[in-house]
Amino acid sequence: MDLNKLKGQLQTEVDTSFLYKSIAAIQQDENLNRVLLALAKIEDGHAQHMLIEIKKESPTTVLPNPSSRAKLQLKLGKIFGYSSIISNLSGVEKQFAINTVKNKIEAGKKLSGFEHNHLKIIEAVNSNAALNVSGGFLSKFESRHKSVGGNALRAAVLGANDGLVSNMSLVMGVAGAAVNNNTILLTGCAGLLAGAISMALGEWLSVQSSRELYENQIALETAELEASPEEEEMELVLLYQAKAMTLEEAKKLAKKAFLTKESAIETLITEELGINKEELSGSAWEAAITSFILFAIGAIIPLYPFMFLEGKNAIFLSIGSSVVGLFGIGSAITLFTGKPVLFSGTRQVIFGLLAAAVTYGIGALIGVSLAG
């Protein structure tokens, strides 16, 4: 591995430890506090070990401070909820586990079955009811963008991006047709409302249908547990074995999970169905309202110049405001991807401007055609 990549991993270890300690500091539950601090201590050990390896090639290298990206994540957690940080930490631990398994296989080493332990621990922490990850009201936002990683901050960024890009394209398309300012403003307002209502309705359906699906799956799993608990326990043993546990370890863990009916169904919901119980607690109406607001915030950016300017001045200010908004959204996305801010922000601006240019061109062609 090259030196720059090693330094990048060292920074990741430092940031991960910093975030574990920061999340631990806000916990009221002593057990969770100890677990998170223990994870942080392990990451500190990894960082020291990595620093020793790096110093073999670069003797002047010192242990870095937490990055500005990690510090910004912590600040945003106060607004959007710290669940965004827990989600990112899960992603980091998952990647660490994948890299560990890959390196052992390439080196011809035998897998121990414990490579995913950190990931399992942080997932267990995340599912603990005592975990304090509350932030602002957006921390409860359940988004259809969950497949991208599933937290309020990510949902807010993507929701605003949907509104900005779609309404900028619409406004530029109508402006390209050289219609009067009132028509552009009316069309933009209609696009804002139509898009926001559509997003809100889609969000409501997404949350409501997901809850109904999960409730049905849980009911079926509960019925199966009551009908044949032995078979369900054996399925759990097989599931644990599929996660690289030995037969003895899998049986021991499954037996512990099946000590009571309540713990058994909780384990089956998490392990077999893969359901996060937080997804059952979100309000469909709250999600709809939040989605409406987020989309509208993005959609108003390319539209507001036409409220007090006309012609090219309004178009130029609309484009300039949209560029700033797109760059800000692209920069915010780096909190999840780890890419450089300039790269991600510029990429977002280019994509947005391309979409606007296409619709402006189509609008201009239609305008010329109608005028002819």
Side-chain angles (χ1 to χ4, degrees):
M1 189 176 293
D2 62 61
L3 188 60
N4 287 333
K5 191 169 286 188
L6 280 173
K7 288 183 177 180
Q9 287 197 358
L10 174 61
Q11 185 66 64
T12 300
E13 297 283 4
V14 171
D15 288 349
T16 303
S17 173
F18 166 74
L19 291 173
Y20 275 138
K21 291 173 183 175
S22 301
I23 295 296
I26 64 171
Q27 300 307 313
Q28 297 177 345
D29 185 270
E30 293 184 5
N31 288 330
L32 282 174
N33 179 274
R34 281 197 295 268
V35 170
L36 289 166
L37 288 179
L39 287 171
K41 186 176 181 180
I42 292 172
E43 299 301 340
D44 286 338
H46 290 167
Q48 290 294 339
H49 177 76
M50 196 164 291
L51 181 62
I52 292 172
E53 293 299 316
I54 292 173
K55 281 189 171 184
K56 293 178 181 177
E57 299 291 332
S58 177
T60 58
T61 302
V62 297
L63 195 69
N65 293 319
S67 69
S68 56
R69 188 172 82 94
K71 292 177 181 177
L72 180 58
Q73 279 183 291
L74 194 62
K75 290 179 180 178
L76 291 175
K78 295 179 180 179
I79 302 171
F80 296 97
Y82 296 98
S83 56
S84 58
I85 299 175
I86 294 292
S87 177
N88 287 338
L89 287 172
S90 295
V92 170
E93 295 295 358
K94 183 176 182 179
Q95 193 57 51
F96 281 163
I98 291 172
N99 290 339
T100 300
V101 171
K102 181 182 177 182
N103 292 336
K104 283 188 176 182
I105 291 174
E106 290 178 351
K109 296 180 180 179
K110 185 179 178 181
L111 298 179
S112 64
F114 299 105
E115 288 80 11
H116 290 78
N117 273 13
H118 278 203
L119 177 60
K120 292 174 184 175
I121 292 170
I122 194 62
E123 286 179 343
V125 167
N126 194 27
S127 63
N128 194 316
L131 179 64
N132 178 20
V133 290
S134 60
F137 80 101
L138 287 176
S139 65
K140 298 179 181 179
F141 180 38
E142 298 286 348
S143 171
R144 77 176 88 186
H145 292 299
K146 269 192 177 293
S147 59
V148 189
N151 55 66
L153 175 57
R154 197 188 309 268
V157 170
L158 296 177
N161 179 70
D162 289 345
L164 197 163
V165 175
S166 64
N167 219 35
M168 178 178 66
S169 300
L170 177 62
V171 168
M172 289 300 111
V174 178
V179 297
N180 62 63
N181 201 71
N182 288 337
T183 303
I184 296 173
L185 190 58
L186 178 62
T187 304
C189 288
L192 184 155
L193 287 173
I197 291 171
S198 175
M199 287 287 290
L201 178 59
E203 199 67 56
W204 187 91
L205 289 172
S206 175
V207 174
Q208 189 66 22
S209 59
S210 293
R211 182 192 292 116
E212 290 170 357
L213 172 62
Y214 292 151
E215 287 174 348
N216 183 55
Q217 288 179 319
I218 291 171
L220 290 173
E221 195 66 37
T222 303
E224 290 178 1
L225 177 63
E226 292 174 347
S228 52
E230 296 82 6
E231 290 183 9
E232 289 298 312
E233 185 174 348
M234 182 53 65
E235 285 182 9
L236 187 59
V237 170
L238 293 173
L239 184 61
Y240 284 145
Q241 284 183 274
K243 293 184 176 182
M245 289 188 187
T246 65
L247 179 59
E248 291 73 18
E249 290 168 343
K251 284 184 176 180
K252 183 178 180 181
L253 197 57
K255 191 174 184 62
K256 184 177 180 181
F258 272 69
L259 286 175
T260 66
K261 178 182 175 181
E262 289 73 21
S263 63
I265 193 61
E266 288 283 338
T267 304
L268 291 173
I269 289 171
T270 304
E271 298 290 348
E272 191 169 318
L273 299 180
I275 294 175
N276 181 354
K277 293 197 72 176
E278 288 184 2
E279 295 176 11
L280 299 173
S281 61
S283 166
W285 284 109
E286 182 179 310
I289 293 169
T290 310
S291 184
F292 184 98
I293 293 171
L294 292 172
F295 185 94
I297 289 172
I300 198 68
I301 293 175
L303 181 61
Y304 81 89
F306 295 93
M307 296 177 181
F308 55 88
L309 294 176
E310 295 186 5
K312 290 184 178 180
N313 289 334
I315 292 175
F316 290 149
L317 181 57
S318 176
I319 293 174
S321 300
S322 298
V323 166
V324 173
L326 287 166
F327 190 87
I329 288 171
S331 301
I333 290 173
T334 63
L335 291 172
F336 321 122
T337 63
K339 294 288 186 181
V341 170
L342 184 61
F343 168 80
S344 188
T346 303
R347 179 179 61 182
Q348 197 73 11
V349 170
I350 291 172
F351 288 159
L353 290 180
L354 283 175
V358 170
T359 55
Y360 185 90
I362 294 173
L365 290 174
I366 293 174
V368 169
S369 176
L370 291 174

